[in-house]
Amino acid sequence: MTWARSQQGITTLAIVALLLLYPQVMPRFWVLSIAANSMILGIAALSLVFMAGYGGMTSLAQAALAGFAAYMLALLSLVPSTNATGSALGAGLPSIPGALIAIALATALGALFGAISSRSYGIYFLMLTLALAVGFYYIVLQNYDVFGGHIGFAGIEGPTGQPREDPPTFYYLCLAVSAAIYLGLRYLVRSQLGLTFQGMRDNPRRMAALGYRVGAHRVALFGIGGFVAGISGVLGAWYRGNISPGILDLNRTIEVLIVAVIGGLGYPIGAFVGAVLYTLIKVFASSVTIAGFSFDERFNTLVGLGFVVIVLVAPNGIVGLADRAYRAVTHRSGARRRAVDPLAVEAGLVPAPVAQPPDAPVIAGDDVPTGS
Amino acid sequence: MAAGAPVPALRLQGVGRRFGALQALHDVSMEVAAGERRAILGPNGAGKTTLFNVVAGDFPPTSGSVELFGTDVTRLAPYARTRLGVCRTYQTSQLFMGLTVAQSLFLAIRGASGGRFSPLRPKPDDRSRVRAAEIAEAVGLAADLQTAVGSLSHGQQRQLEVGMALAGSPRLLMLDEPAAGLSRAERITLTDLIKRLPRDITVVIVEHDMDVALAVADRVTVMAEGTPLVEGDPEEIQSNRTVQDIYLGHAVGGRHG
Amino acid sequence: MFGARTGRGLVGLMFVASIAAAACGGSAAGDKIIKIGGLATLEGPFAVPGQDGFRGIEQALSTMGKKLDNGNWQFDGFQVQLLKEGSDATPAVALEKAKKLIEQNNVDILIGPLSGDEGLAIKDYAKTVPDKTFVNGSSAAQDTTFRAPAPNFFRFSTDGAQWMAGLGKYAFDKKGYKNVALVAEDYSFPYTQVGGFMYEFCAAGGHVVQKNWVPLGTKDYSSVVSNLPTSGIDAIYVALGGSDAVNFFTQYNQAGGKAKFIGGSITVDQSVLATKGAFQDILAGTIAAGPTADTATDKAWLDYVAEYHKEFKDGLPFPGLFALSYYNETVGVIKGLQAVKGDLSGKQASFMAALAKVEFDGPTGHVKLDANRQAISSNYVTEVQKAADGSLQNNVITKADNVDQTLGLGASSPYLAQPVSRDFPACP
Ligand SMILES: Nc1ncnc2c1ncn2[C@@H]1O[C@H](COP(=O)(O)OP(=O)(O)OP(=O)(O)O)[C@@H](O)[C@H]1O
Ligand SMILES: [Mg+2]
């Protein structure tokens, strides 16, 4: 036991050391384009993993919330310029206060989305959040005066300056934020609030009967989702230096979903594992040649194929697969039962954990049996 | 209600509930006095569970009114009724399959007592955690505190159902077929548990198992086709011809017979 | 619940994998092989033009060099290896792909990207890697080279304003249009096109009395149509692409509009002319301008088209402006490489110097660079005319040669005092 513990501690230490050393030894491309980019994407995916895995709310609005925070950051922190190339808008706040307000606004918008969708479950929730995301995308795209239309805003700079001028510092910023969010959510999962979310995920009706206002808790969870997604949006804006509606279009929504699913919904670390994997596949797919067939002009096909294979081979994602393998090797019994992938349940792909017949048929009709 | 008369725990007046063309409840009027143990009997489809759902607030009645401890709750949300002291179990277990027994009971306790939005982890000596262990003990799950609900046996899940209802510090406890699916030994434990409940808890129990129902009940209501037919004490009911015709006869060949 | 232990294992594995991948990414740059990265749009609405852009690169390499079995091209004294990457037309993705080619694949020269906003992003990036050479693809924003240029960014294709050369003058002098309203998509490429048109048109004395900017992908033009003046204008300048143009023409025709049209470079292309609809009647007489014209008859152009068809059986009916742009950029690169015999030493300084001096006769005319390393080249003015069989055709009216980025106005012209935008230039 103690041996296992100390071994675990050593692994953790080694990984922390590697993470800290990484930007010192790796080239800029690997520090920024792969690592920082993955962390930013991973945080967005983590917001979805947390909501879906611990609250049963598979929100498709996370990319939009991240994008919203990025736009708010631009509007708050850009310095308005009379020069026609610059933006006429901007409150000129320093980057950190601007970021904090932007994240607070994303939290509020998340809560608002939560209020709008608090009574929707399953596929209806999925569709409603998708509609909110797409609607918001069009508002941004078509509103030249506030959001800069198709072009968006440029010249956004974070507290560490241009990331490419000082990759390690920006990397450490992303790492610190990722770690804080990850550990924070890990803590939250075992808190009263976190247990409430999981109760809601498993059985909202029972939660109501136990005295919980399920709607209010769903609003709170969506607010947390907005908070985490907002942080990703702010880091992303600092990373790119500019924002345009492309950062919150449907492609990004799908990207966040894919990352969450390949990492494993229900495993927060999976968001980051999935993000790294996704980024690597995306970056290197065009260099792949399989049986003489080069994917350079068809890299999306390869990304898609990879996704399908992972979902088929590992329905609980890469971390789920590794977890199972680990248990098999160490002969740990599956005593701890894991909730089935809620997304798959919602999509009707797999049955709910335990098929629970309702007390009575929900849809009334003349043919409803009335006796034994 | 005459002044000075004790306030009933539950009072239904002309309650009806319709599902499309089906009138599941029809003109139900009844009172359950505070501290009473009331059994509700009736054949399958009589509307017993629907009655519980209306009282707990899962859906409103389509006619009539519901009063709990003198307060009209007809339009009140379920969580608000729980906070008035209504706790229930379900005919089909409604549990948290991804949580442990301890976590489930903890949620049940905190649901009624507050701190529901706390982002803090409860300390090991937290009052709610201690209480959760006590309740697990009472319903025979002391050894399974850290077991995932999904890997409990059916009987254990039924016991957890009861435990979660008790955890809400009920003033009115509604048990919907708590003994269904339990072994003989488990039934006896359950019966004892209900009997030993303090008298400030009002209990309404729906139960097909006569041994359990009649052992705990002070009074019995027999329902059929959505409406109460007869009310009386256990002996009266057992000897009542109508009841024997419409219900007990069925029960012999029925699901637990 | 967290799979924290296995998660840790995976994170460790990823380290090993990424370090291995980073290590092998840097090898293989043999002394005689020059790596060229090609970047075009392969996803989204510009996927088809993106493929045509790559055809342009490959056609230039195959015409000027010899394709080898290993997939490279042999030139006198050096080989060229081509690595392709695709973007989705957003600057963010284009930038990621460019970084990958430059920083991970270690290409020496990058050719791309395809669209204007991507080009601006790549130019800014180019400034941070001064020892690599960036050559444009087909992106046509003015400020990719005109304002704050990058010293290592070259463009052998013309920009969206140059694509309008000859049109404003022709509209004012020959067509007699004095007052014009405009309908254009609300992003940088139409701004540039509108700007190029207005440089000549306003300078000649014309007036643009009303500007209607619509979001890209607009389907319902009823409010725009009703907003257009019914009298007092001689023509409507329309800078919409593809289905946007078809939708606008249809709805304008249905509302009984009678004005003549002036088109941007992608407004009345073959796809719009070939779309059946009642609006066809009102398109005859529409004038437009662009760097290519399907019906041009110069020998160089006909040879180029014939080669294109020989090389690419699955190609488009005509190589479009995307293929031509990438083709010209690649020709420029090869000529530059030939001038230094493939020698990229000294942080590519001598290569870049040679590249800036490259001149050649392309399929549509002579190409040379100005001081900002921006092409000075030819442009066509076309008019939609009814052919004998009743179908519509874009016929060449005039061809302007040696068109520079200011359309002959000079860099100090007040019309170029500001970047093009919704509101600039203006001559109401
Ligand atoms: N949500 C609902 N939607 C439609 N019909 C319902 C619903 N709930 C109950 N019913 C119908 O109402 C009638 C009464 O059902 P209820 O579940 O209350 O009976 P019960 O007395 O609890 O029977 P059992 O002994 O089988 O549990 C049945 O015919 C049932 O099909
Ligand atoms: Mg029932």
Side-chain angles (χ1 to χ4, degrees), chain A residues 359-365 368-371, chain B residues 17 19 22-25 42-51 53 59 91 176-177 206 208 255:
Chain A
D359 268 2
V362 179
I363 297 152
V368 173
T370 46
Chain B
R17 172 72 207 190
F19 295 109
L22 178 85
Q23 188 79 43
L25 289 181
N44 294 144
K48 306 177 297 288
T49 298
T50 305
L51 186 69
N53 286 341
F59 40 68
Q91 186 172 351
D176 197 349
E177 303 197 21
V206 169
H208 283 282
R255 43 173 117 154

Side-chain angles (χ1 to χ4, degrees), chain B residues 207-228:
Chain B
E207 188 48 69
H208 283 282
D209 184 328
M210 285 302 142
D211 297 341
V212 178
L214 300 180
V216 299
D218 307 329
R219 281 185 82 71
V220 179
T221 301
V222 179
M223 282 181 74
E225 290 172 16
T227 223

Side-chain angles (χ1 to χ4, degrees), chain B:
Chain B
M1 192 196 315
V7 178
L10 173 65
R11 171 142 79 161
L12 304 173
Q13 281 175 311
V15 167
R17 172 72 207 190
R18 173 186 282 286
F19 295 109
L22 178 85
Q23 188 79 43
L25 289 181
H26 176 68
D27 197 19
V28 181
S29 297
M30 70 159 127
E31 271 185 26
V32 179
E36 189 183 319
R37 270 91 177 101
R38 172 75 59 101
I40 297 182
L41 308 181
N44 294 144
K48 306 177 297 288
T49 298
T50 305
L51 186 69
F52 271 23
N53 286 341
V54 166
V55 173
D58 284 32
F59 40 68
T62 36
S63 60
S65 67
V66 182
E67 260 177 44
L68 290 170
F69 310 106
T71 316
D72 186 335
V73 299
T74 315
R75 302 278 143 198
L76 217 56
Y79 74 86
R81 300 186 195 203
T82 307
R83 293 179 197 176
L84 280 177
V86 181
C87 295
R88 68 174 295 194
T89 68
Y90 295 81
Q91 186 172 351
T92 320
S93 298
Q94 300 287 326
L95 301 173
F96 307 125
M97 293 308 194
L99 299 182
T100 64
V101 170
Q103 289 169 338
S104 300
L105 291 171
F106 176 80
L107 276 182
I109 292 161
R110 285 287 184 91
S113 67
R116 287 171 290 260
F117 281 91
S118 163
L120 298 179
R121 287 186 179 185
K123 300 217 167 57
D125 61 347
D126 183 278
R127 270 221 321 249
S128 308
R129 286 180 73 162
V130 174
R131 175 104 183 93
E134 287 166 13
I135 290 172
E137 171 93 60
V139 296
L141 290 172
D144 287 301
L145 264 179
Q146 298 312 323
T147 308
V149 174
S151 43
L152 292 178
S153 72
H154 179 76
Q156 288 173 315
Q157 290 191 355
R158 297 300 299 163
Q159 281 159 320
L160 180 58
E161 266 289 328
V162 176
M164 283 167 70
L166 287 175
S169 314
R171 293 167 70 199
L172 171 62
L173 178 66
M174 301 195 293
L175 304 168
D176 197 349
E177 303 197 21
L182 294 191
S183 69
R184 263 207 84 72
E186 285 167 339
R187 280 173 200 221
I188 292 167
T189 323
L190 178 72
T191 314
D192 277 354
L193 175 71
I194 299 172
K195 276 178 155 169
R196 282 205 318 271
L197 286 176
R199 269 289 158 174
D200 56 356
I201 300 180
T202 311
V203 179
V204 180
I205 178 170
V206 169
E207 188 48 69
H208 283 282
D209 184 328
M210 285 302 142
D211 297 341
V212 178
L214 300 180
V216 299
D218 307 329
R219 281 185 82 71
V220 179
T221 301
V222 179
M223 282 181 74
E225 290 172 16
T227 223
L229 281 186
V230 200
E231 195 180 308
D233 58 41
E235 291 72 39
E236 279 171 346
I237 293 300
Q238 269 175 306
S239 56
N240 185 307
R241 276 219 64 89
T242 339
V243 176
Q244 282 172 356
D245 280 356
I246 65 137
Y247 183 69
L248 298 179
H250 290 258
V252 172
R255 43 173 117 154
H256 311 299

Side-chain angles (χ1 to χ4, degrees), chain A residues 1-12:
Chain A
M1 182 67 204
T2 40
W3 180 80
R5 249 171 197 284
S6 63
Q7 186 204 29
Q8 204 175 323
I10 289 168
T11 327
T12 310

